[in-house]
Amino acid sequence: MKASSAVAAFDSATGMLRALSRFHTGRDVPAIGQVPAALELPMSGLLGAVNRLPVKAREWVYAASGWAEAIPLRRVGDVRADDLATWVTRHYPRRRYPVIFVGSANGALVHLAAALDAAWLPQTLLLPVRRRGVSPDDPCGDLAAVEGAGRALLAANPDFVLHHMHDPNQDRLMIAGMTYFRAKWCRLPEAYRRFIRHHLAPGGRIVAVDCTLTWPTTRVDDRYVFQFGALGDATPEEYRRGGPRVTDLLARYGATARRWDPPAADGESPEAEWGMQPALLDDLSSFAERHRLDLDLLRFDTPQRLSPAVADLYRSWYAGRNLPADRLLVESFLLLDPWQALRTGSVPYWAVFGTETFRAGLEAYLDSTDPYDEIRVLLFNHGTESIGLASADDWRRTAARARKIGVLTGMDATAYPRDFASLVRAHRELRKIRTRYPMPLPLDTADAAAVLTNRDEVIWRPAR
């Protein structure tokens, strides 16, 4: 099976890989990198028409678009880890990089890598698997339906650990017809080894990106865990025991139950989408030592923790270039564009998702820094009124903290969180920003490491 057919195009790691690799070829990210810029206008019109459909029809279109990318259940055992790793490395131009990051997906990291002229190789990829006849609110049914496929994937790929994730809160539209298999490498794949050996600049550094976030899981096999729920505003306790917010969600979506009944958790594992598998870090350390390469560790406890640090780094970098540092670009999930951020002199702040927790994190950052003249917010529309989702009006109030311009960019607030045309319009609106700057020379790695090391919540240090 072709790697490009096995990996979800709508996932965080894939979207971030597209954005960063396009940056390295001098390109921005129209329509989250899935269509050429020339097709943005007709695509915007098509998605605008979808926006005018009734809510249920819009949700069906969104779910169907994801289902079309999923692997047939019978083909899961045909996926090969080596092919996936090669597919990742082929995104990048064949040249030398002063830094190569390896590990957790993170939107702020994409901007850090862009500033450093660095590449990033993800540890985790999402393999969506088609299956029918299982309600989003039946986690045990999902595990039973695809456990055999999960075992087949692992039998064919001894370097994979499988995190089978089921989130009926944020992903309920997608998981109505598919399963999320998040595959994590526990050993550095050969394609990554080749890429590092051939494309790390002399004197360059490997940096392991270690998000230490964990989640309760159920052990299925030695290399197979089932994760119910995921990072957002709902807590692990709400996923497993229920509560008023769960009851309200299920009632709004017409479910017969008022709480979920998942398999009993028997341990903690790295969070499926964001957490770093420690075995890969160990193997990466051995590889670096064997080849006498410098290995650093960039560690943080939750994805958004890196966002204020990278925003401050960009702000100080702009000031050092005698550029204004009063334009903030707030991004979420895979709706991000490192090329446009640098061309418009925007300070990037990645908010992970559109929930109240991540909005509060942005508010805390704004409380701690000098005011911005301009704040533009890109909100990823995931189609579901999930637990803790902050409203468009809430996000608009946060944007209004700007002294001059504070807007939700490219979004129809009345259609949120089902404004799927915003995936195209956001980029078109960024391109209209008139004030632009020359693309800078890369930021010095040692300077960036020093800035990040001086923060209590983020660690950048030698790994050994």
Side-chain angles (χ1 to χ4, degrees):
M1 170 175 287
K2 292 178 58 177
S4 58
S5 300
V7 180
F10 57 82
D11 185 45
S12 53
T14 311
M16 292 169 190
L17 176 65
R18 280 197 305 266
L20 182 58
S21 60
R22 289 178 67 90
F23 172 85
H24 284 306
T25 57
R27 296 181 294 169
D28 56 4
V29 193
I32 59 175
Q34 296 209 55
V35 299
L39 295 180
E40 274 196 313
L41 188 58
M43 181 66 72
S44 179
L46 176 62
L47 292 176
V50 171
N51 278 1
R52 293 189 289 273
L53 296 173
V55 167
K56 289 295 184 183
R58 272 184 281 164
E59 291 180 344
W60 183 88
V61 170
Y62 181 73
S65 68
W67 184 88
E69 294 185 20
I71 312 165
L73 196 62
R74 69 182 186 282
R75 297 292 308 279
V76 175
D78 296 338
V79 175
R80 292 296 178 266
D82 290 344
D83 294 340
L84 298 183
T86 300
W87 173 81
V88 168
T89 61
R90 284 179 177 166
H91 279 73
Y92 291 104
R94 287 316 193 239
R95 62 173 178 82
R96 299 283 187 170
Y97 298 88
V99 176
I100 297 177
F101 292 101
V102 182
S104 298
N106 189 281
L109 178 77
V110 169
H111 289 285
L112 177 59
L116 298 176
D117 191 35
W120 164 66
L121 306 176
Q123 179 189 33
T124 307
L125 295 176
L126 173 59
L127 311 178
V129 180
R130 293 179 190 172
R131 57 104 178 91
R132 296 185 181 276
V134 178
S135 163
D137 301 310
D138 182 11
C140 290
D142 182 50
L143 177 57
V146 299
E147 181 182 338
R151 292 182 185 276
L153 177 69
L154 294 176
N157 298 282
D159 292 342
F160 268 165
V161 173
L162 176 58
H163 291 242
H164 175 173
M165 192 181 91
H166 188 88
D167 182 4
N169 175 34
Q170 297 172 117
D171 297 327
R172 68 180 300 113
L173 297 186
M174 287 294 196
I175 64 173
M178 72 171 71
T179 289
Y180 279 16
F181 277 179
R182 295 196 181 274
K184 294 179 183 287
W185 276 283
C186 54
R187 291 187 68 255
L188 196 65
E190 182 57 35
Y192 284 16
R193 295 169 189 262
R194 287 196 304 271
F195 186 85
I196 293 169
R197 289 197 305 266
H198 296 161
H199 299 291
L200 183 65
R205 312 191 71 82
I206 310 169
V207 181
V209 186
D210 182 15
C211 178
T212 61
L213 182 68
T214 63
W215 198 268
T217 54
T218 304
R219 177 68 55 183
V220 180
D221 209 335
D222 287 345
R223 293 183 289 121
Y224 187 168
V225 295
F226 180 82
Q227 176 179 309
F228 181 62
L231 177 68
D233 266 43
T235 65
E237 290 73 22
E238 285 179 298
Y239 277 107
R240 294 196 166 271
R241 298 190 180 95
R245 297 199 300 176
V246 174
T247 298
D248 176 65
L249 175 81
L250 293 172
R252 282 190 284 112
Y253 280 95
T256 55
R258 290 298 174 262
R259 53 158 293 186
W260 296 299
D261 184 22
D266 53 16
E268 294 266 335
S269 302
E271 204 278 338
E273 184 165 8
W274 310 110
M276 171 75 155
Q277 179 64 239
L280 180 63
L281 181 58
D282 294 339
D283 194 54
L284 186 58
S285 181
S286 298
F287 169 80
E289 184 174 4
R290 186 163 58 255
H291 292 278
R292 298 182 179 180
L293 300 173
D294 291 323
L295 175 65
D296 287 356
L297 178 69
L298 179 62
R299 175 172 284 165
F300 42 91
D301 63 350
T302 191
Q304 193 163 325
R305 196 74 71 193
L306 193 58
S307 299
V310 172
D312 286 346
L313 177 66
Y314 264 68
R315 210 167 197 188
S316 63
W317 186 25
Y318 289 158
R321 296 168 57 205
N322 295 316
L323 296 180
D326 54 11
R327 176 180 283 164
L328 185 68
L329 178 62
V330 179
E331 301 166 321
S332 57
F333 195 48
L334 53 74
L335 197 58
L336 72 170
D337 197 325
W339 181 264
Q340 289 293 341
L342 277 171
R343 289 293 282 172
T344 60
S346 298
V347 174
Y349 182 98
W350 181 63
V352 190
F353 299 130
T355 68
E356 187 56 44
T357 293
F358 299 115
R359 189 183 73 89
L362 172 61
E363 290 275 357
Y365 167 69
L366 293 174
D367 289 341
S368 70
T369 193
D370 292 337
Y372 283 92
D373 286 349
E374 302 177 19
I375 300 177
R376 291 175 175 83
V377 178
L378 308 183
L379 282 181
F380 183 82
N381 282 250
H382 69 312
T384 302
E385 294 172 10
S386 50
I387 291 171
L389 185 70
S391 70
D393 286 341
D394 291 334
W395 282 101
R396 187 183 281 128
R397 281 193 293 272
T398 298
R401 294 184 59 170
R403 291 184 292 199
K404 294 180 180 178
I405 299 172
V407 293
L408 304 184
T409 298
M411 197 182 81
D412 177 1
T414 63
Y416 182 72
R418 302 178 186 89
D419 178 18
F420 305 126
S422 67
L423 296 173
V424 177
R425 288 197 307 258
H427 172 261
R428 294 178 63 206
E429 291 301 311
L430 287 182
R431 284 188 135 193
K432 294 178 182 177
I433 298 174
R434 292 183 178 180
T435 308
R436 293 184 169 263
Y437 303 96
M439 196 59 67
L441 294 173
L443 186 63
D444 182 76
T445 303
D447 291 345
V451 170
L452 296 179
T453 300
N454 289 330
R455 303 182 70 98
D456 293 337
E457 67 276 17
V458 177
I459 296 172
W460 183 324
R461 62 170 174 79
R464 58 180 189 273

